[in-house]
Amino acid sequence: MPERDELLTEIAPTGVIRAAVNMSNAALVQLDPVTGVLTGPSAQIAIALAAELDCSLSLVRYGSAADILAAAEDKEWDVAFIASDPSRADRFSFSPPYTTVTASFLVPDSSPLGNVEHVDVKGVRIAAARTAAYTKQLERQVRNAILLHTENPASALDMLVSSQCDAAAGLTESLSRFCEENPGFRVVEGTFSKVPQAIAVHRRCVHASTFLSDFIQQHCSAGKSGN
């Protein structure tokens, strides 16, 4: 295992681990409306990471994975909780997945589209966030439907609400929450993608990459043994 000083040079160059979290991914991080504290798997693992290294932690909130990726160039964060998609491997090193989330489609209640297999047909317009990992998977899967790229997941939902598309792609849990707050829409049956979630560091951070791989494996093993 790398020495602690070597690790902290890469993982906390400012003296604090700045961990980027995606606030649009409700399956992984949520804001407690009463306490104002971030909860969920991403927040819990970040706290465990800081405790393991005996280092201070700052959870840096972003509205989407695209925002996290864009902020990487300005060195706003040290580690990021994002999906480990092959399209990102040229810039980042990823830990093993700590969990997996699913993606599906949102449609109006009146839509004839009943499950994910029905969506990839000629003439169907799918709105999906341009840099989302599930969109990268859609790009590799879609053969017949029309894929419309949006700036973020919220924009894809806006397109659906305004009838500019026939289906909006998104993380299943986020789509389900949207349905609860917006009657008239439903999530189709099934999923088109299982998206592995991991901790990312810049590829130059070789010591941090090795450490995080071991850390996540131990964390997940401990979690499973404690169930």
Side-chain angles (χ1 to χ4, degrees):
M1 180 179 292
E3 295 293 330
R4 181 175 181 275
D5 289 345
E6 292 177 325
L7 278 173
L8 293 183
T9 297
E10 295 180 346
I11 213 168
T14 64
V16 176
I17 300 175
R18 298 169 300 170
V21 294
N22 180 2
M23 297 303 294
S24 69
N25 194 334
L28 300 180
V29 62
Q30 310 94 38
L31 178 65
D32 188 309
V34 177
T35 64
V37 173
L38 292 180
T39 61
S42 294
Q44 292 168 357
I45 293 174
I47 292 169
L49 174 64
E52 178 76 12
L53 292 174
D54 191 23
C55 187
S56 298
L57 172 69
S58 173
L59 293 173
V60 187
R61 307 175 193 179
Y62 291 93
S64 68
D67 293 340
I68 293 176
L69 297 174
E73 299 300 326
D74 295 327
K75 300 180 180 179
E76 293 182 8
W77 52 261
D78 307 307
V79 301
F81 288 81
I82 56 176
S84 54
D85 188 80
S87 67
R88 300 170 177 172
D90 60 328
R91 300 172 61 194
F92 309 108
S93 298
F94 292 93
S95 71
Y98 60 88
T99 191
T100 299
V101 297
T102 62
S104 189
F105 300 108
L106 186 74
V107 298
D109 281 341
S110 59
S111 172
L113 305 175
N115 58 55
V116 291
E117 288 77 14
H118 295 156
V119 177
D120 186 18
V121 296
K122 188 175 181 180
V124 170
R125 301 162 299 169
I126 304 170
R130 179 176 287 106
T131 59
Y134 56 78
T135 301
K136 300 302 180 184
Q137 295 191 20
L138 265 184
E139 291 170 353
R140 296 189 283 266
Q141 294 175 15
V142 168
R143 293 291 180 268
N144 303 297
I146 301 168
L147 196 56
L148 306 174
H149 292 95
T150 67
E151 289 304 309
N152 51 53
S155 298
L157 295 174
D158 288 342
M159 287 189 69
L160 184 65
V161 171
S162 59
S163 302
Q164 297 179 64
C165 65
D166 304 295
L171 297 178
T172 306
E173 183 159 335
S174 295
L175 297 181
S176 296
R177 290 193 177 203
F178 182 87
C179 288
E180 293 174 2
E181 300 169 359
N182 300 271
F185 298 90
R186 58 180 170 81
V187 181
V188 303
E189 293 293 328
T191 61
F192 69 80
S193 174
K194 293 183 177 180
V195 186
Q197 302 295 315
I199 305 178
V201 292
H202 296 276
R203 287 191 62 84
R204 64 179 178 272
C205 300
V206 292
H207 299 301
S209 177
T210 299
F211 171 79
L212 289 172
S213 178
D214 293 339
F215 170 77
I216 286 298
Q217 289 176 351
Q218 294 172 9
H219 181 88
C220 291
S221 296
K224 289 174 183 176
S225 65
N227 290 339

